[in-house]
Amino acid sequence: EPEVTQTPSHQVTQMGQEVILRCVPISNHLYFYWYRQILGQKVEFLVSFYNNEISEKSEIFDDQFSVERPDGSNFTLKIRSTKLEDSAMYFCASTPGQGGKNEQFFGPGTRLTVL
Amino acid sequence: KQEVTQIPAALSVPEGENLVLNCSFTDSAIYNLQWFRQDPGKGLTSLLLIQSSQREQTSGRLNASLDKSSGRSTLYIAASQPGDSATYLCATQEGDSGGGADGLTFGKGTHLIIQP
């Protein structure tokens, strides 16, 4: 069964460094999302992406964040200058976006640790 | 702004029992509601999605209901098994942009333990 994949599973970085988290959404899905979950807290929406542009973004998704679909399969989240509070689990999700159902399928996540 | 609340925060029951997890949301103008399962340190597994026009969905031993007007959903698990132990998350999707573009708003989850 098709699934969303994410790499790396765990990333450790120094404060101020740039990180790129990678996702491969399910083939033929049209909408892509990034979420984060700080340890012990709720899963929070960051951004949605459709037709090669951002559709919606939350207040968390500030200028330090960017997303890109560099080719036909990958979907990336870049954090330009990481802060300690960016430490979290980052989840990518995708949905077909057709037929009205919009069930979102999540990847296994990337655990980001900022030191 | 949508707020999603899940009660109880934690639940421990003996194997074989039927149980109900509750989810409430403040803004009834949702596009759909989705239930997930999350195992420790893992991603989210979609269990059921209920569209705003539906009242319930069933998958195996799971049944989810939706009462949009009162802002409530329940997840019913029949004949619970130790393998059902996980955190169960409820999430709503608003319909401002036809549903597809909107992110999900999550509750904090119910941590479920099924005792063998």
Side-chain angles (χ1 to χ4, degrees):
Chain A
E1 186 168 333
E3 50 186 30
V4 177
T5 58
Q6 292 185 242
T7 54
S9 58
H10 191 185
Q11 173 119 28
V12 181
T13 189
Q14 295 290 326
M15 190 169 55
Q17 294 296 304
E18 174 184 286
V19 295
I20 297 176
L21 309 183
R22 291 183 168 79
C23 166
V24 179
I26 294 173
S27 175
N28 81 355
H29 280 195
L30 300 179
Y31 287 89
F32 316 122
Y33 312 83
W34 283 101
Y35 294 83
R36 78 172 185 191
Q37 186 178 32
I38 295 171
L39 189 63
Q41 298 188 22
K42 293 183 180 184
V43 177
E44 300 172 291
F45 166 71
L46 295 178
V47 65
S48 63
F49 192 85
Y50 170 75
N51 201 25
N52 283 320
E53 60 183 25
I54 291 174
S55 296
E56 299 281 341
K57 59 182 180 179
S58 72
E59 57 197 22
I60 302 170
F61 193 87
D62 60 21
D63 292 344
Q64 290 299 311
F65 293 92
S66 64
V67 289
E68 192 178 32
R69 187 155 165 84
D71 53 44
S73 59
N74 289 285
F75 179 51
T76 63
L77 174 69
K78 182 193 291 187
I79 308 175
R80 286 193 183 81
S81 178
T82 50
K83 305 175 188 136
L84 295 177
E85 54 265 36
D86 293 327
S87 294
M89 195 78 159
Y90 287 81
F91 295 108
C92 174
S94 68
T95 187
Q98 293 174 334
K101 205 174 177 192
N102 290 329
E103 183 174 6
Q104 293 191 20
F105 296 90
F106 280 67
T110 292
R111 181 171 299 283
L112 177 65
T113 302
V114 182
L115 303 176
Chain B
K1 183 183 172 187
Q2 179 76 284
E3 294 287 337
V4 178
T5 303
Q6 292 187 247
I7 294 172
L11 182 63
S12 181
V13 300
E15 179 179 4
E17 281 202 5
N18 303 323
L19 54 100
V20 175
L21 308 181
N22 296 292
C23 171
S24 62
F25 46 95
T26 53
D27 185 350
S28 62
I30 62 170
Y31 191 78
N32 61 42
L33 184 144
Q34 201 167 347
W35 282 93
F36 294 88
R37 168 190 173 131
Q38 185 175 31
D39 292 284
K42 304 289 186 184
L44 281 64
T45 300
S46 179
L47 298 173
L48 289 163
L49 178 140
I50 310 178
Q51 293 180 267
S52 61
S53 58
Q54 297 175 320
R55 299 283 291 184
E56 66 177 329
Q57 280 290 313
T58 297
S59 176
R61 294 183 292 110
L62 305 179
N63 175 278
S65 69
L66 174 65
D67 184 343
K68 227 178 83 159
S69 60
S70 67
R72 291 179 186 176
S73 176
T74 61
L75 179 67
Y76 175 83
I77 303 177
S80 58
Q81 302 169 358
D84 295 331
S85 297
T87 297
Y88 289 80
L89 303 176
C90 165
T92 62
Q93 185 179 40
E94 274 53 66
D96 295 344
S97 47
D102 294 283
L104 298 176
T105 302
F106 283 83
K108 208 167 179 188
T110 293
H111 181 54
L112 177 64
I113 296 174
I114 307 299
Q115 307 153 10

